[in-house]
Amino acid sequence: MNYIYIDESGDLGEKPSSSKYFVIGAIMVDNPKYLNRLIKNARRKYNNIIGRDVEIKGNKTNRQVIKKILRKVNNIDCEVLAIFLDKQNLHNVPEFYNYHALYDNLA
């Protein structure tokens, strides 16, 4: 059985303050034990750097810590996937389009 963890970055909005891209990242593992242990150990080791957020935020965490975590992720049996949506052409989408459906389709 595969376990898939997904997270998104950005938003689907079109306001001037909205992000330029919407990104969905995923990591797929056969056995979540190794990934869970890796994250648990990272939280324990870098608690003062990562903080107490529910998730490890890439934009709030020291780049060196992120690199160390990613090097360890590289050593586990996993598949990493990403979908990038350049929102430049979203103005062509009709106003009545359901953005929740777009999110669901991307995910």
Side-chain angles (χ1 to χ4, degrees):
M1 175 186 284
N2 289 330
Y3 295 83
I4 301 173
Y5 300 86
I6 66 169
D7 194 21
E8 78 276 342
S9 179
D11 56 70
L12 290 172
E14 295 185 80
K15 296 177 185 175
S17 61
S18 294
S19 60
K20 185 176 178 182
Y21 301 97
F22 181 74
V23 181
I24 293 183
I27 185 167
M28 184 168 52
V29 295
D30 289 330
N31 185 345
K33 176 176 70 172
Y34 302 111
L35 183 61
N36 290 338
R37 185 179 306 142
L38 185 151
I39 298 301
K40 185 177 178 180
N41 289 341
R43 286 190 172 287
R44 191 177 300 136
K45 184 173 184 178
Y46 304 113
N47 186 38
N48 60 330
I49 299 171
I50 293 173
R52 299 214 179 266
D53 285 339
V54 174
E55 58 185 311
I56 298 172
K57 297 283 192 182
N59 63 342
K60 293 181 181 178
T61 304
N62 178 296
R63 293 286 176 225
Q64 295 303 322
V65 172
I66 295 290
K67 285 180 182 180
K68 288 178 184 180
I69 293 171
L70 289 175
R71 280 190 198 109
K72 291 184 183 211
V73 167
N74 195 37
N75 291 326
I76 64 173
D77 186 22
C78 67
E79 198 171 333
V80 178
L81 311 156
I83 297 173
F84 296 86
L85 174 65
D86 184 346
K87 298 185 334 183
Q88 179 170 256
N89 293 318
L90 276 183
H91 65 276
N92 294 332
V93 176
E95 287 184 26
F96 61 83
Y97 189 79
N98 182 344
Y99 282 92
H100 294 290
L102 175 60
Y103 177 87
D104 291 345
N105 288 329
L106 289 169

